[in-house]
Amino acid sequence: MSVEVLLKNVFTGTGEGPHWDEDTQTLFFIDNLGQKVFSWNYRTKEVQMIQLEKVLGFIIPHAKGGHVIGYGKTISDLDWNSKKVTVITEVDENVDTRMNDVKCDARGRLWFGTMGADRLPEMPEKEQGSLYCLYTDGTVKKHKEKVTISNGLAWSSDNKRMYYIDSIPGKVYGMDYDIETGTFTNEKVIIDFQAIGTLGLPDGMTIDTEDKLWVACYDGAKVVRFDPETGKQLQCIDFPAKRITSCCFGGPNYDELFVTCGRSGAQEQELKDLPLSGSLFRVTGLGVKGSKPNIYEG
């Protein structure tokens, strides 16, 4: 296994939301507090960046063209060429929140969550966020409330299990999923980071072809592979950065893990000790693979 710095100190705030686009062999990702969206082309190594005006939650391709972004409290379309942002829908109208992580299920529904606004660095208002689904017909439904930091999402390969993270109180949930209706039941805690006590907070998440979860450990300087059936830690990757935020599989064979992290909230000593904070990393030689990610089909 090898960990390399793909883009050094690319994030001024907090890197998040890596998404691999198979058609263009491009990695898309964001700097949420830096209000930037990025692309990195695997073939040419070219980096493109768009500076926007609001805090970002995610970027994911839209089947109709362009990309869908979490923009403030909205789900919006972004035209990469014109840089035009067009609002699709807005949520949490009377609550001080912002968009955070997202994933699409196998039918192209867009599951997204919100989190409480940061009054102080790394201290969002508790239980202000929610978990929503934007269905392909354009309707939005709230599926979970009283969430503090809505985060990582994943589904098993048979689409019968859904996994979800609320970073505070540090829980990874597993639930039964109905792919026909886009609903879940029987939610249970499957991994408790508070009980583990050494990994920081669970942040972004992805899943491999063996249906094992890869969880980014914020304040833990790691990505850890878990068995969702037992909660057992199977593999651990250490990084030269403390605030690991998210990860996704990509590359031509989906055997490379791209990992984001942040600088926001770091004190001077942390940045001195860990000068690669805010970099984009790539891990190779893991011996496992991911699958082509789903996109929004609405």
Side-chain angles (χ1 to χ4, degrees), residues 36-53:
K36 302 179 181 73
V37 294
F38 292 90
S39 69
W40 175 81
N41 186 281
Y42 191 92
R43 300 188 186 97
T44 67
K45 315 305 179 192
E46 180 187 7
V47 178
Q48 294 185 8
M49 185 273 288
I50 297 175
Q51 178 70 59
L52 296 173
E53 298 176 351

Side-chain angles (χ1 to χ4, degrees), residues 36-227:
K36 302 179 181 73
V37 294
F38 292 90
S39 69
W40 175 81
N41 186 281
Y42 191 92
R43 300 188 186 97
T44 67
K45 315 305 179 192
E46 180 187 7
V47 178
Q48 294 185 8
M49 185 273 288
I50 297 175
Q51 178 70 59
L52 296 173
E53 298 176 351
K54 296 180 181 179
V55 173
L56 290 150
F58 60 84
I59 179 168
I60 196 166
H62 195 165
K64 292 181 178 178
H67 292 79
V68 181
I69 58 173
Y71 195 50
K73 293 198 291 186
T74 75
I75 302 291
S76 295
D77 267 319
L78 170 67
D79 183 283
W80 194 271
N81 295 321
S82 69
K83 303 179 177 58
K84 182 180 179 182
V85 175
T86 305
V87 174
I88 297 173
T89 190
E90 184 170 358
V91 296
D92 293 355
E93 184 176 350
N94 299 313
V95 188
D96 192 4
T97 61
R98 61 179 173 87
M99 291 289 172
N100 207 39
D101 216 348
V102 70
K103 283 288 191 334
C104 290
D105 72 6
R107 297 291 174 84
R109 306 178 184 101
L110 191 142
W111 285 82
F112 66 96
T114 56
M115 60 177 283
D118 302 274
R119 301 301 185 193
L120 296 169
E122 299 187 280
M123 294 183 65
E125 290 288 300
K126 292 186 177 180
E127 297 187 348
Q128 297 299 300
S130 299
L131 175 65
Y132 294 92
C133 183
L134 173 61
Y135 291 83
T136 55
D137 63 1
T139 61
V140 176
K141 181 179 178 180
K142 182 189 292 187
H143 288 266
K144 186 177 174 69
E145 54 187 14
K146 293 189 175 180
V147 173
T148 299
I149 304 179
S150 185
N151 238 314
L153 290 150
W155 286 265
S156 60
S157 55
D158 62 7
N159 297 307
K160 292 183 178 180
R161 294 287 288 168
M162 177 177 174
Y163 304 103
Y164 171 66
I165 288 173
D166 183 355
S167 295
I168 300 175
K171 302 288 195 296
V172 183
Y173 301 92
M175 48 271 271
D176 296 327
Y177 192 66
D178 186 335
I179 189 65
E180 298 302 324
T181 61
T183 56
F184 61 81
T185 54
N186 302 320
E187 177 189 290
K188 296 179 181 178
V189 176
I190 59 170
I191 304 164
D192 186 340
F193 269 54
Q194 284 192 348
I196 296 170
T198 58
L199 298 178
L201 299 173
D203 202 319
M205 174 170 59
T206 191
I207 194 166
D208 61 34
T209 56
E210 298 174 8
D211 282 342
K212 302 300 189 285
L213 301 175
W214 294 79
V215 181
C217 302
Y218 190 85
D219 274 346
K222 303 177 189 298
V223 171
V224 176
R225 188 190 192 213
F226 288 94
D227 184 332

